[in-house]
């Protein structure tokens, strides 16, 4: 059994997903027992029952669906249905996902939505179906309804980090920065050491600064907060490319703002509100240099194929390279 099939396919790159789906037929053959048919209960001894087996089936189903291998995906789905039954909440959600992915027109999607509504009438606490319903509303372009569904979901289950994260992304897509940050704060309460979430909070905070008056004290405060979020991300994960990229971008912008800010604003803080004074120019410069050096190291080692440095996303490496080249061009001028 491939260890990659035990990892969620959403964490894999397209090449890995394509490779997994291409080997689906070989996987199915490997799961067929060579034991002859035995009467019950002796048949139980020939059944390779394990959590890893069904995790593999589910992840292979998602990879096949992702790459358009619908026949293989259907075989995985049938195996899961046979094992756990149609009434299983997770199986019901996967069958709904299958119906969504194979729908050929808007009416079929409406039929899937109606099916979700029927399930929820019988069992309003079926969270897997409630999430699929929200996802389907989003894919159908019904953004306000999808947001309302997610708000209702987190009201019912405020410890659902996945729902909070999705709600945050939907708010961010609508340019509702403060609401997006609020949702991300809720996720961080549930996963305080998730460096990717700290980096995402930094990204959203940085984006929110673009709508503020240039050089204002409020923009300075927001950019400083974004920088601190990226600092926390790289503190938790020393080789996190996205964190260093954000730190580089935020410190570069912060240096521009600090250069035009009045001295009085550089020492302003509000202890009651929890606001910190903006960082000094020297501190920001040092952080900018650190981010530059670390990005250069990651790009160099990743490009050379060094062991332990080959897991980075190619697009992110290219973006980091472009950011570093931009600095070189400025120096050359």
């Amino acid at each position: 059994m491939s260890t990659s099939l035990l990892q969620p396919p959403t964490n894999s790159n397209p090449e890995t997903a394509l490779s997994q789906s291409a080997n689906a037929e070989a996987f199915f053959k490997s799961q067929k027992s060579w034991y002859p048919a035995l009467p019950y209960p002796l048949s139980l001894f020939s059944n390779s029952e394990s959590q890893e087996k069904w995790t593999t089936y589910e992840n292979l189903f998602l990879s096949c669906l992702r790459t358009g291998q619908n026949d293989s995906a259907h075989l995985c789905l049938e195996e899961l249905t046979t094992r756990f039954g149609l009434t299983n909440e997770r199986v019901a959600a996967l069958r709904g996902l299958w119906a969504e992915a194979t729908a050929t027109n808007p009416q079929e999607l409406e039929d899937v939505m109606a099916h979700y509504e029927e399930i929820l009438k019988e069992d309003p606490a079926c969270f897997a179906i409630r999430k699929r319903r929200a996802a389907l509303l989003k894919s159908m372009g019904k953004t306000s309804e999808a947001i309302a569904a997610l708000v209702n979901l987190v009201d019912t289950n405020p410890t659902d980090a996945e729902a909070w994260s999705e709600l945050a992304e939907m708010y961010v897509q609508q340019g509702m920065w403060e609401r997006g940050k609020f949702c991300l704060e809720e996720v961080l309460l549930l996963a305080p050491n998730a460096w990717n979430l700290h980096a995402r909070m930094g990204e959203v905070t940085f984006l929110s600064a673009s709508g503020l008056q240039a050089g204002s004290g409020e923009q300075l405060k927001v950019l400083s907060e974004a920088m601190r979020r990226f600092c926390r991300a790289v503190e938790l994960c020393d080789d996190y490319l996205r964190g260093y990229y954000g730190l580089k971008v935020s410190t570069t912008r912060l240096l521009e703002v600090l250069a035009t800010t009045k001295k009085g604003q550089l020492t302003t803080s509000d202890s009651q509100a929890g606001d910190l004074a903006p960082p000094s120019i020297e501190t920001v410069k040092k952080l900018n240099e650190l981010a530059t050096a670390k990005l250069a190291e990651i790009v160099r080692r990743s490009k050379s194929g060094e062991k332990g440095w080959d897991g980075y996303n190619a697009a992110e490496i290219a973006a980091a390279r472009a950011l570093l080249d931009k600095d070189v061009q400025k120096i050359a001028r």
Side-chain angles (χ1 to χ4, degrees):
M1 182 185 299
S2 173
T3 55
S4 63
L5 281 172
L6 295 176
Q7 304 297 325
T10 51
N11 294 337
S12 63
N13 55 45
E15 291 78 11
T16 301
L18 190 61
S19 174
Q20 290 174 352
S21 60
N23 294 322
E25 186 176 350
F27 171 77
F28 294 139
K29 290 180 180 178
S30 70
Q31 296 304 300
K32 292 182 179 180
S33 174
W34 56 269
Y35 290 102
L38 296 174
Y40 181 84
L42 295 178
S43 59
L44 295 175
F45 293 102
S46 66
N47 185 24
S48 57
E49 182 76 17
S50 68
Q51 182 177 350
E52 289 78 10
K53 174 181 178 178
W54 301 113
T55 299
T56 300
Y57 266 107
E58 182 176 340
N59 290 341
L60 184 59
F61 164 76
L62 295 173
S63 290
C64 290
L65 211 57
R66 181 181 176 187
T67 56
Q69 301 289 334
N70 293 339
D71 291 340
S72 297
H74 189 261
L75 287 174
C76 293
L77 185 59
E78 288 303 310
E79 288 289 335
L80 289 165
T81 303
T82 301
R83 170 60 182 84
F84 297 101
L86 288 169
T87 57
N88 180 272
E89 182 176 321
R90 198 173 188 89
V91 170
L94 292 176
R95 294 186 73 86
L97 179 59
W98 159 264
E100 293 175 39
T102 56
T104 57
N105 55 65
Q107 183 55 49
E108 291 185 2
L109 289 177
E110 292 291 348
D111 293 340
V112 176
M113 180 64 72
H115 179 61
Y116 288 159
E117 298 289 355
E118 290 177 5
I119 294 176
L120 292 175
K121 283 181 181 179
E122 297 178 2
D123 183 11
C126 187
F127 287 98
I129 295 298
R130 291 176 69 175
K131 289 182 180 181
R132 286 268 25 107
R133 178 178 176 274
L136 181 54
L137 286 169
K138 178 183 177 182
S139 66
M140 294 172 70
K142 300 179 180 180
T143 305
S144 59
E145 293 181 42
I147 290 176
L150 286 170
V151 169
N152 183 268
L153 184 59
V154 296
D155 281 344
T156 307
N157 185 16
T159 59
D160 192 328
E162 185 181 40
W164 279 114
S165 297
E166 183 61 30
L167 183 57
E169 291 306 311
M170 295 203 70
Y171 278 137
V172 169
Q173 289 172 9
Q174 300 301 309
M176 305 168 78
W177 311 117
E178 294 305 316
R179 293 190 181 189
K181 287 192 285 185
F182 174 84
C183 294
L184 286 173
E185 288 284 8
E186 292 294 326
V187 183
L188 285 169
L189 287 174
L190 300 168
N193 294 326
W195 55 84
N196 60 321
L197 292 175
H198 283 284
R200 184 55 180 158
M201 175 65 87
E203 292 168 357
V204 175
T205 304
F206 181 81
L207 289 171
S208 68
S210 61
L212 301 174
Q213 183 181 352
S216 65
E218 184 64 23
Q219 187 185 53
L220 181 61
K221 183 178 75 171
V222 172
L223 287 172
S224 300
E225 175 62 20
M227 183 196 71
R228 294 186 184 102
R229 292 290 184 176
F230 289 121
C231 285
R232 180 57 176 158
V234 298
E235 179 186 13
L236 291 168
C237 183
D238 184 54
D239 298 320
Y240 188 40
L241 187 152
R242 201 178 187 96
Y244 283 109
Y245 187 98
L247 184 60
K248 171 70 175 173
V249 172
S250 60
T251 51
T252 299
R253 179 67 183 125
L254 195 53
L255 285 171
E256 295 173 357
V257 175
L258 285 171
T260 59
T261 302
K262 297 179 181 179
K263 288 186 177 181
Q265 292 177 322
L266 298 179
T267 56
T268 301
S269 63
D270 187 346
S271 58
Q272 292 183 346
D275 294 337
L276 300 174
S280 65
I281 293 179
E282 291 74 18
T283 299
V284 179
K285 283 183 177 179
K286 288 180 180 179
L287 289 172
N288 186 277
E289 292 170 1
L290 171 66
T292 302
K294 195 65 180 181
L295 282 174
E297 180 187 12
I298 292 173
V299 170
R300 174 173 53 82
R301 291 192 165 188
S302 177
K303 286 290 186 181
S304 64
E306 286 190 36
K307 186 177 181 180
W309 295 81
D310 55 353
Y312 292 100
N313 183 283
E316 292 184 352
I317 289 291
R321 177 75 269 175
L323 183 64
L324 293 172
D325 289 343
K326 189 183 296 185
D327 260 8
V328 173
Q329 291 173 5
K330 286 182 179 179
I331 295 173
R333 290 175 185 174

